[in-house]
Amino acid sequence: GAVVSQHPSWVICKSGTSVKIECRSLDFQATTMFWYRQFPKQSLMLMATSNEGSKATYEQGVEKDKFLINHASLTLSTLTVTSAHPEDSSFYICSARAPGGMDTQYFGPGTRLTVL
Amino acid sequence: EDKVVQSPLSLVVHEGDTVTLNCSYEVTNFRSLLWYKQEKKAPTFLFMLTSSGIEKKSGRLSSILDKKELFSILNITATQTGDSAVYLCAVETGSNYKLTFGKGTLLTVNP
């Protein structure tokens, strides 16, 4: 199956700093990538849909100025958590969907963010 | 607002038991229903269901979709301790293939 990677797998940062998370589709081109957040013992919540070459579509309640998404190429999307605070600590997971098709979304391994 | 409801939220069984996990949904522009298994990290794909009444099977796991009654079940037979995980149901909708997840069922299989 298709492989999606995320980097870093975990990050610890101080409150007020910005953190960038990368999501790459390794063996296919993804016109659409998705960013999810998962708090402990809860399910995945979609944050935004990232389309290559256009602005991301954010879900209700997700601040687009705080969670900056860039999908500059067909294999890379980045999520930047700006001015991170402890309440942003969470597990961030991306997924990618190949264009045109019947395939499902392929998930990256996730990034554990801890904001001190 | 799209909704996906899973039941039970948690389940404890003994090795060898058979379990049935439930997923019901109310969504607009249904495309497919998916089952994932999540252990420590990101979800791993189990099944994708698009048509009613056609069972998908993989080893001891099987799943079926009822698009009239808007639900799906995931069956696991002869459970093993390695089946212990959170099982997530998600429904894919719309032209942008958005996934809405249920809260998951935490399955614990004791030896």
Side-chain angles (χ1 to χ4, degrees):
Chain A
V3 178
V4 175
S5 71
Q6 268 183 254
H7 179 80
S9 56
W10 60 270
V11 57
I12 301 173
C13 69
K14 290 184 180 178
S15 191
T17 59
S18 294
V19 174
K20 182 189 277 190
I21 303 170
E22 291 185 350
C23 176
R24 292 182 189 273
S25 55
L26 296 185
D27 51 1
F28 67 101
Q29 293 185 324
T31 51
T32 305
M33 290 184 169
F34 302 85
W35 287 97
Y36 296 85
R37 182 168 49 182
Q38 186 176 33
F39 291 108
K41 298 194 191 295
Q42 295 191 24
S43 193
L44 279 75
M45 296 294 292
L46 180 66
M47 298 174 67
T49 303
S50 165
N51 293 299
E52 187 263 339
S54 64
K55 288 185 181 178
T57 303
Y58 290 81
E59 294 299 300
Q60 197 171 7
V62 178
E63 298 172 59
K64 59 182 177 187
D65 294 330
K66 180 167 183 64
F67 298 100
L68 301 178
I69 291 173
N70 186 296
H71 192 158
S73 78
L74 285 171
T75 58
L76 173 64
S77 176
T78 60
L79 168 69
T80 302
V81 183
T82 61
S83 187
H85 290 286
E87 58 265 29
D88 299 323
S89 299
S90 187
F91 192 47
Y92 291 86
I93 309 173
C94 73
S95 70
R97 203 173 198 288
M102 300 294 291
D103 280 350
T104 184
Q105 292 181 28
Y106 299 95
F107 284 88
T111 297
R112 174 79 56 195
L113 170 64
T114 302
V115 185
L116 302 175
Chain B
E1 186 185 333
D2 294 337
K3 277 197 311 188
V4 178
V5 178
Q6 290 185 247
S7 64
L9 290 180
S10 66
L11 191 54
V12 180
V13 300
H14 290 292
E15 261 191 321
D17 288 351
T18 293
V19 298
T20 298
L21 309 184
N22 303 294
C23 176
S24 63
Y25 60 92
E26 284 181 44
V27 302
T28 308
N29 296 325
F30 175 91
R31 297 188 74 94
S32 65
L33 185 144
L34 301 102
W35 285 96
Y36 293 90
K37 178 182 182 182
Q38 186 175 28
E39 297 172 269
K40 300 274 187 206
K41 290 206 167 180
T44 52
F45 172 75
L46 294 176
F47 297 111
M48 181 180 189
L49 303 157
T50 54
S51 302
S52 264
I54 299 174
E55 185 184 52
K56 294 233 174 161
K57 204 167 165 60
S58 176
R60 295 176 294 102
L61 277 67
S62 63
S63 184
I64 198 160
L65 172 67
D66 185 329
K67 287 169 77 172
K68 185 178 172 193
E69 300 297 328
L70 307 182
F71 78 90
S72 173
I73 59 172
L74 174 68
N75 276 324
I76 309 175
T77 58
T79 51
Q80 301 171 357
T81 54
D83 295 328
S84 296
V86 174
Y87 289 84
L88 294 167
C89 171
V91 176
E92 188 178 51
T93 57
S95 57
N96 61 355
Y97 304 98
K98 172 182 167 181
L99 283 183
T100 301
F101 281 85
K103 291 188 175 178
T105 294
L106 172 61
L107 174 65
T108 304
V109 182
N110 289 324

